[in-house]
């Protein structure tokens, strides 16, 4: 594929944090390779990998689309758009001069990195030599080692040499699929999509759960959650969204239980259902967007009373973040504007005037035993409606609703 003038660049991927995983290195690299391959299935690319790096040959016209996708693949620490040539002095000089001539700059600096120690000239010496080539051939420019307009980087490796100017930060984290699956409690709010993003970033796979209470909540509220799920699905393969009919449980709670304990009990029910869905769909942990102290149900006392219904670990990626920090991330991952669309959520429909801030476990248990929640929970779990969110398939969700 290489050779023509339009195909002499590659995307050179740096693994970053992967390189700390000695024993698992191949597993991580293979996972990343598969994820990149799946995400770029619609493009004509060749992907090469070894233990130090990965690079993608692409067609020039696809560069913007491909980098847009690469920016959302976890496990990529940084990348460069690099010209690739064989590791041969003459070839490197010619190509470097050729590509530098196309750039506009007054000052420059050449930085050579030589991981191929068989290459006969050392890095410092070769940087000077290549710098001299540029000075000799391009008029009115000079070297500035501190703040150059153009940094010419030349990476000499055994198989190939890469020439590039800029380094772009990747999404970081670990490749999705290097950890088992978690169940994300995905509401239409700001926090839970951010929690999902962080979970994916650690390499987890995700299913999502949405509790809805139709007719108290609307189909638009559900669509909003689907839109948030689609944003998260850009960072992974696909997400199964399990929609739970929460109406009967919620109505029973508000009919039978003490008002100030309604939210505590509602959340205990959510955790029970999430735990059952973990068993049903092989989730190892629950993930949610709780943040310490944000609302009455997220004081440490509340969390502990709520959490006590399950032995499954609950991961709370945004637990220690300020709302402002969470919003910054929500903006970055493009979920914020969707999250602030005002539709009622089941948590906001039935809000007690004074929810308990320090609930007591025995009171919560006494109150929830006022109705037969076990059978309602089984009914909710058995009547799950699962929507597969797969951006590569262009699913028309209106067909599914
Ligand atoms: P978010 O936390 O997503 O911004 P929120 O702040 O309105 O929304 P809370 O009432 O704080 O939600 O609930 C805390 C967490 O519980 C949410 O982050 C989410 O993980 C989960 N949760 C709340 N409501 C729902 C729901 N209807 N469906 C699924 N999960 C929910
Ligand atoms: Mg919240």
């Amino acid at each position: 594929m290489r050779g023509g003038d339009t195909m002499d660049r590659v995307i050179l991927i740096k693994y970053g944090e992967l390189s700390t995983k000695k024993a698992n290195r191949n597993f991580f690299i293979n996972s990343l390779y598969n994820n990149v391959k799946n995400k770029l299935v619609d493009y004509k690319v060749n992907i090469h990998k070894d233990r130090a790096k990965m690079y993608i040959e692409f067609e020039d016209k696809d560069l913007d689309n491909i980098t847009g996708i690469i920016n959302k693949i976890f496990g990529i620490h940084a990348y460069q758009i690099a010209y690739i040539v064989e590791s041969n002095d003459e070839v490197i000089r010619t190509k470097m001069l050729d590509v530098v001539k196309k750039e506009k700059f007054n000052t420059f600096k050449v930085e050579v990195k030589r991981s191929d120690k068989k290459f006969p000239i050392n890095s410092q010496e070769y940087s000077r030599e290549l710098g001299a080539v540029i000075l000799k051939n391009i008029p009115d420019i000079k070297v500035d080692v501190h703040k150059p307009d153009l940094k010419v980087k030349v990476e000499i490796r055994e198989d190939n040499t890469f020439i590039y100017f800029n380094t772009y930060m990747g999404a970081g984290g670990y490749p999705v699929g290097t950890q088992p699956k978690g169940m994300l409690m995905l509401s239409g709010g700001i926090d839970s999509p951010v929690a999902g993003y962080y979970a994916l970033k650690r390499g987890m796979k995700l299913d999502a759960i949405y509790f809805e209470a139709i007719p108290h909540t609307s189909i638009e509220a559900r669509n909003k959650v689907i839109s948030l799920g689609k944003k998260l699905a850009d960072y992974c393969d696909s997400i199964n969204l399990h929609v739970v009919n929460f109406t009967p449980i919620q109505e029973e709670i508000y009919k039978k239980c003490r008002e100030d304990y309604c939210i505590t009990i509602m959340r205990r029910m959510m955790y029970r259902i999430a735990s059952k869905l973990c068993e049903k769909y092989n989730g190892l942990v629950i993930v949610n967007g709780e943040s310490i102290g944000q609302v009455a149900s997220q004081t440490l006392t509340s969390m502990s009373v709520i959490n006590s219904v399950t032995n499954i670990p609950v991961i709370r990626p945004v637990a220690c973040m300020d709302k402002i920090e969470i919003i910054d991330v929500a903006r970055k991952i493009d979920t914020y504007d969707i999250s602030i669309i005002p539709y009622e959520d089941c948590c906001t429909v039935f809000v007690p005037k004074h929810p308990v801030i320090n609930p007591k476990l025995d009171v919560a248990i006494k109150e929830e035993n006022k109705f037969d929640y076990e059978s309602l929970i089984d009914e909710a779990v058995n009547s799950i409606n699962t929507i597969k969110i797969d951006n590569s398939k262009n699913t028309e969700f209106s067909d599914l609703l």
Side-chain angles (χ1 to χ4, degrees):
M1 188 168 152
R2 205 181 310 150
D5 210 30
T6 56
M7 287 184 194
D8 57 352
R9 290 189 299 174
V10 299
I11 296 172
L12 178 60
I13 289 173
K14 303 293 167 61
Y15 303 139
E17 210 179 332
L18 289 196
S19 51
T20 59
K21 300 271 161 211
K22 282 208 175 66
N24 284 334
R25 204 174 164 91
N26 284 341
F27 169 60
F28 277 71
I29 292 170
N30 288 334
S31 302
L32 179 61
Y33 174 83
N34 287 329
N35 292 351
V36 171
K37 200 166 138 200
N38 286 340
K39 283 288 179 189
L40 297 181
V41 71
D42 293 333
Y43 298 91
K44 200 173 156 208
V45 291
N46 287 328
I47 310 168
H48 306 256
K49 65 174 157 76
D50 61 34
R51 286 175 71 77
K53 62 173 190 323
M54 189 177 295
Y55 67 87
I56 305 167
E57 292 178 287
F58 59 92
E59 294 190 319
D60 258 5
K61 66 176 170 50
D62 296 329
L63 180 59
D64 288 349
N65 287 346
I66 291 179
T67 52
I69 293 168
I70 292 288
N71 286 335
K72 293 184 177 174
I73 299 180
F74 291 122
I76 297 176
H77 167 69
Y79 64 90
Q80 292 104 9
I81 319 286
Y83 295 89
I84 180 170
V85 291
E86 58 184 280
S87 292
N88 165 296
D89 174 37
E90 206 41 52
V91 178
I92 295 172
R93 283 170 194 256
T94 312
K95 186 68 187 179
M96 182 210 61
L97 187 60
D98 203 32
V99 300
V100 168
K101 271 183 177 166
K102 291 181 195 153
E103 299 294 314
K104 280 198 169 52
F105 62 99
N106 296 316
T107 58
F108 77 101
K109 171 189 182 182
V110 179
E111 268 177 28
V112 172
K113 212 164 87 190
R114 184 185 59 142
S115 59
D116 175 12
K117 299 297 175 203
K118 288 197 294 286
F119 193 78
I121 316 165
N122 81 31
S123 302
Q124 273 197 343
E125 183 62 33
Y126 202 43
S127 300
R128 269 196 299 274
E129 285 188 19
L130 293 178
V133 171
I134 294 173
L135 282 171
K136 204 173 114 193
N137 287 279
I138 304 177
D140 304 327
I141 52 158
K142 56 179 195 266
V143 173
D144 178 349
V145 290
H146 301 297
K147 269 193 142 201
D149 299 340
L150 187 72
K151 257 189 211 163
V152 183
K153 304 236 184 176
V154 179
E155 238 179 77
I156 303 169
R157 294 176 180 266
E158 239 172 84
D159 45 357
N160 290 110
T161 288
F162 300 90
I163 305 168
Y164 55 84
F165 306 121
N166 298 308
T167 295
Y168 305 95
M169 291 312 288
Y174 295 137
V176 172
T178 51
Q179 290 289 334
K181 194 200 284 178
M183 283 283 163
L184 170 67
M185 295 168 64
L186 183 61
S187 67
I190 295 168
D191 305 327
S192 49
V194 172
Y197 162 82
Y198 278 122
L200 292 168
K201 187 170 181 182
R202 295 328 284 170
M204 286 171 56
K205 285 186 276 194
L206 284 184
D207 273 15
I209 308 172
Y210 169 56
F211 298 91
E212 73 178 359
I214 287 176
H216 311 292
T217 63
S218 59
I219 280 291
E220 285 82 2
R222 184 204 288 190
N223 284 339
K224 188 176 147 182
V225 174
I226 292 172
S227 302
L228 292 169
K230 289 178 87 165
K231 291 288 178 192
L232 289 178
D234 276 347
Y235 291 90
C236 57
D237 187 15
S238 62
I239 290 180
N240 285 328
L241 174 68
H242 307 292
V243 180
V244 180
N245 175 12
F246 206 49
T247 314
I249 294 174
Q250 203 150 24
E251 287 180 349
E252 279 293 281
I253 296 173
Y254 283 87
K255 232 184 283 165
K256 308 268 171 66
C257 307
R258 223 172 101 170
E259 193 191 330
D260 57 345
Y261 270 71
C262 282
I263 297 272
T264 313
I265 292 167
M266 185 187 78
R267 297 194 64 76
R268 284 166 63 87
M269 298 300 158
M270 284 183 174
Y271 271 47
R272 287 185 171 108
I273 292 172
S275 303
K276 292 214 165 186
L277 292 179
C278 277
E279 276 164 36
K280 192 168 170 179
Y281 297 106
N282 296 320
L284 222 56
V285 298
I286 295 169
V287 181
N288 68 32
E290 289 172 343
S291 178
I292 299 167
Q294 195 183 79
V295 285
S297 61
Q298 291 167 33
T299 62
L300 289 185
T301 318
S302 282
M303 280 190 194
S304 130
V305 168
I306 292 163
N307 206 151
S308 67
V309 300
T310 185
N311 286 324
I312 294 179
V314 179
I315 310 283
R316 301 174 176 89
V318 303
C320 298
M321 288 168 71
D322 290 349
K323 192 77 186 188
I324 298 226
E325 294 167 331
I326 300 172
I327 287 174
D328 278 349
V329 180
R331 286 217 165 89
K332 189 178 93 180
I333 64 172
D334 208 21
T335 53
Y336 181 76
D337 288 339
I338 303 170
S339 293
I340 58 170
I341 302 172
Y343 287 116
E344 298 289 358
D345 179 67
C346 70
C347 295
T348 49
V349 174
F350 305 91
V351 192
K353 270 192 213 76
H354 301 291
V356 60
I357 290 170
N358 290 308
K360 303 264 181 302
L361 181 59
D362 55 343
V363 178
I365 291 172
K366 189 176 133 234
E367 289 298 312
E368 70 193 8
N369 278 329
K370 289 179 176 169
F371 69 99
D372 180 13
Y373 63 80
E374 298 276 6
S375 64
L376 290 180
I377 284 177
D378 285 343
E379 212 177 295
V381 169
N382 291 332
S383 61
I384 284 284
N385 175 9
T386 299
I387 299 170
K388 189 176 169 78
I389 302 179
D390 183 345
N391 291 341
S392 66
K393 298 263 175 342
N394 275 332
T395 319
E396 264 308 322
F397 288 106
S398 51
D399 297 348
L400 298 165
L401 297 174

